[in-house]
Amino acid sequence: MDYLARYNEWREKAVEDAKIAEELVSVKDDKDAIYDRFYTTLKFGTAGLRGVLGAGTNRMNIYVVRQATQGLANYIKNHIGTGAVAITHDSRINSSLFMNEAARVLAANGLKVYITTELQPTPVLSYLVRHLGCVAGIMVTASHNPAKYNGYKVYGSDGCQMTDVAAGIVYDEIQKLDMFDDIMLCDFDEAIRSGSIEYVADSVYDSYVAEVEKRQVNAGVCKGSDLNVVYTPLNGAGNKLVRRVLADIGVENLHIVKEQEMPDGNFTTCPFPNPELKEALQKGLELCGEVKADLLLATDPDSDRVSIAVRRKDGTYRLYTGNEIGAMLTEYILSSRKALGNLPEKPVVVKTIVTTKIVKAICDKYGCEMRDCLTGFKYIGEIILGLEKNGEEDRFVFGFEESCGYLSGSYVRDKDAVVASQLICEMAAYYKKQNKSLVDIIEGLYEEYGYYLNTTLDFYFDGATGMEKMSKIMTGLRDQGPAEIAGEKVVHVADYLKSESTDLLTGAVEHIDLPKSNVLAYTTESGNCAIVRPSGTEPKIKIYITAIAKSLDAAGALTEKIAADMKGYLN
């Protein structure tokens, strides 16, 4: 069926949602607009669905959500049999609607469904799946994307995001379905009355909070520290639980950014609610200046990621990268637990391949095993699962990825900004009692281990041709990648799609024992590195740069050279 035929079918059948019907009429004379909405379907990948809200097969709407959920239901019935599914959502536009529509489909298929009475962080969904013994979970979110986006992430029974294999089977099931005629639906209110859809009890959230608070390293250290904190949930799902946990552990001086306190899917004061971006932190920084806060915390809309800014001695604020926060937390957790005598005999820290290499040096100092995995927190979750199967889950000390995602403990299998906020405040209070700020701590790490400057560059390829262009760029790099970067010879290339690691000096090729992934890594003679990875959820290519030097200024200059060279391959 071509795109115009799809459009006409939607004009006839997509009448239940009035806004969608109106949008279809509004573009009837605009072939480009019709094409963009119908030239393809949102692909159900490893992270589920993500796309712009609106009418069409290439948009997020109730019809696409229903079809994806029917595919998931068929997968469960064919490969698992029966069971329960947990669903929650963040603050985005239509998030609660999409949760309810997914619940209607699952209940109509004879599956028990647990939903939440209000928005919840993504890690809570991971917790619900495990705590309630579910066979799957759905989180309605588009993470840190702009307001026009929404999405739908699917989790397995282990609380991790669905595996590639399972996601592929669900995708095949979805492809078999007519979007309008093959979907089973029940009445929502009747399903609530019958118990096939059930709201999660408040006691479950209490148990989640208890698990988070077990992850304190120096319990009680925040009390009496006079730590002054500004917090912004960026109009998302972290507001209640982050504040509850910080109050419980003794953070007594907490200021909330009022403009970003309440749920608001329009993100009016923060058009791109990504806590990695300074623009997203602007309101928080303004409040920090007013109250002279020691620390700014910012969680993203689904509260699985957190970033920080720290007050310098001159009153200005230093923003931290995810790599720097993760390195500080690794040092803090390992050093404190070793001093307390409760570090496991064979501790394990896990990071992704694009995350800072300084972690290896820190782990070596404390006799800790460091494991690398592919980008995506589900791979960290899989390592935790492997330890659990061997009865060794207590060996897992900490895991993180450069995009501000962190986890301590195995109670969930995804990054958790609630526990990360707790640990960051605890760490800041611990060092404040020693008359040190986190500015002192990061500089101390660089002085001890060397300046590892990590920078991430994002290149967007929007529109109908965006994905095609990204594919051509990756093919071109595989055919002829850089021989030199920043004036240094490239001596090592890792192709994670081919599972090959090649030493260009000797010609030796080694197998990469990780799942295949469309990632290319180039390393120079002195250990500088550029890693190229297309996003799995957005039309963009990321380049992760590692520059190692004797000073921060030198590392910054080297980063600019590496960036300039790599940009040339993305035209």
Side-chain angles (χ1 to χ4, degrees), residues 181-196:
D181 298 335
D182 294 339
I183 312 303
M184 298 177 67
L185 279 172
C186 70
D187 180 80
F188 182 83
D189 293 333
E190 176 56 36
I192 290 287
R193 285 192 292 269
S194 70
S196 55

Side-chain angles (χ1 to χ4, degrees), residues 101 133 141 158 199 216 310 390 410 489 518:
E101 291 300 302
T141 179
D158 55 7
Y199 288 107
Q216 294 176 75
V310 176
N390 292 327
S410 60
K489 183 183 293 185
N518 191 14

Side-chain angles (χ1 to χ4, degrees), residues 122-131 153-162 208 215 304 376-389 392-394 396 401 406-416:
T122 287
V124 169
L125 185 278
S126 178
Y127 182 78
L128 292 177
V129 169
R130 291 167 54 79
H131 183 81
K153 294 196 292 190
V154 179
Y155 289 71
S157 60
D158 55 7
C160 295
Q161 286 188 40
M162 183 170 272
Y208 163 80
R215 271 68 211 181
D304 62 352
F377 221 89
K378 68 175 182 176
Y379 296 109
I380 295 177
E382 288 176 0
I383 290 175
I384 300 171
L385 179 62
L387 291 169
E388 182 183 55
K389 288 179 177 177
E392 299 177 329
E393 64 182 291
D394 288 343
F396 173 71
E401 57 186 4
Y406 318 94
L407 177 64
S408 175
S410 60
Y411 61 102
V412 298
R413 298 297 161 81
D414 208 343
K415 48 190 177 286
D416 187 350

Side-chain angles (χ1 to χ4, degrees), residues 246 292 352 437:
L246 295 188
K292 296 181 172 53
T352 62
S437 78

Side-chain angles (χ1 to χ4, degrees), residues 218-250:
N218 289 290
V221 72
C222 290
K223 295 176 182 177
S225 68
D226 196 31
L227 184 69
N228 191 356
V229 181
V230 165
Y231 170 57
T232 172
L234 296 179
N235 300 119
N239 187 36
K240 284 190 174 182
L241 289 180
V242 170
R243 292 171 69 173
R244 176 179 172 180
V245 166
L246 295 188
D248 286 351
I249 68 170

